[in-house]
Amino acid sequence: MANLVDSHKFSTFDDYYTPKSAWEYIAHLIPKDKIIWEAFCLHSKLSKSINNLKELGFNVVGNTDIDFFKTETRPEYDIIVSNPPFDKNIKIPILKRLVADGKPFILVMNSMNIYSNYFNEIFADNKKDLQLIIPRGKIYFEKLEGDITILKKNTSFYCVYVCYKMDIPNEKLWIG
C-alpha cells in the first residue's frame, strides 16, 4: 500500500473516461427537466459521456472543443454533470469557478478530495449547499489504450459525487 507521504511520486494520468454506468447510478437524482452541460470534455474525442447522458434521457449540451475557462460563450445550461480532470492544478480552478458561478453541479471525484485543505477552503462559505452522493463500491473508468477506451476494473481509489445546490433528499445520498 502506498503511503500518502509518497503520493507526490505518482504521476497523474487524466486519460480516463466516465462510463455510462457512473451516470446510471445517479440518473434518478438528476432532474430530467433541466439542461445539463457536460463541461469537461475538452479534446476528449473518445469520451462517450455526452452521448451516455443523452441515452439516459437527459437534455445535454457539450462539445469537445469547448474550454471551460477560455470560452467566451458558454452554452445555456441549468446544471453541470461531469467528471473533471484528476490533476489538482486543473481541478482547483474548476471548483473555484463553479462555486463562483453559483449554478448547481454534480461532479465525479476521488473521495480523498473532501479531506483536502483546498476543498474545505473552496467550500468554506458554501457548505450548506454541498452534498455527497456515496455509491456502494468503486466506480470504474474507461482508460485510453491506443485509439480506444477500455473499461478498467482496477481503480485504486473510491469516488463520490460532489453535489452543489442540488437539494437531494438525505435518504437518497447513499446508493446501492
Side-chain angles (χ1 to χ4, degrees), residues 56-142:
L56 292 170
F58 298 105
N59 181 3
V60 183
V61 294
N63 185 317
T64 59
D65 296 322
I66 295 175
D67 185 323
F68 177 76
F69 290 107
K70 295 180 182 172
T71 186
E72 292 183 28
T73 308
R74 290 179 166 213
E76 184 179 322
Y77 73 98
D78 300 304
I79 302 168
I80 287 180
V81 176
S82 194
N83 180 1
F86 190 83
D87 185 329
K88 144 177 149 172
N89 294 322
I90 300 170
K91 182 174 31 192
I92 290 172
I94 286 171
L95 290 172
K96 287 179 178 179
R97 175 76 179 264
L98 288 172
V99 170
D101 287 351
K103 285 201 165 190
F105 62 77
I106 299 175
L107 302 178
V108 177
M109 296 181 74
N110 180 328
S111 61
M112 293 301 287
N113 285 286
I114 66 174
Y115 302 104
S116 70
N117 287 334
Y118 67 81
F119 190 89
N120 283 281
E121 288 167 9
I122 291 168
F123 291 102
D125 297 328
N126 299 290
K127 287 189 177 149
K128 69 181 182 344
D129 296 316
L130 189 63
Q131 293 179 294
L132 300 174
I133 299 172
I134 314 294
R136 182 178 185 187
K138 292 181 178 178
I139 296 174
Y140 299 112
F141 297 92
E142 295 177 357

Side-chain angles (χ1 to χ4, degrees), residues 18-57:
T18 312
K20 187 175 185 179
S21 60
W23 302 134
E24 288 172 331
Y25 286 142
I26 62 166
H28 65 288
L29 300 173
I30 304 170
K32 295 271 188 185
D33 63 338
K34 304 290 184 190
I35 299 171
I36 294 171
W37 181 18
E38 213 311 3
F40 306 111
C41 289
L42 180 63
H43 305 304
S44 300
K45 303 294 184 200
L46 298 176
S47 175
K48 302 170 196 149
S49 192
I50 295 168
N51 286 335
N52 288 339
L53 286 164
K54 286 180 179 180
E55 287 175 10
L56 292 170

Side-chain angles (χ1 to χ4, degrees), residues 2-10:
N3 185 331
L4 290 179
V5 174
D6 297 327
S7 66
H8 67 279
K9 296 177 184 174
F10 298 120

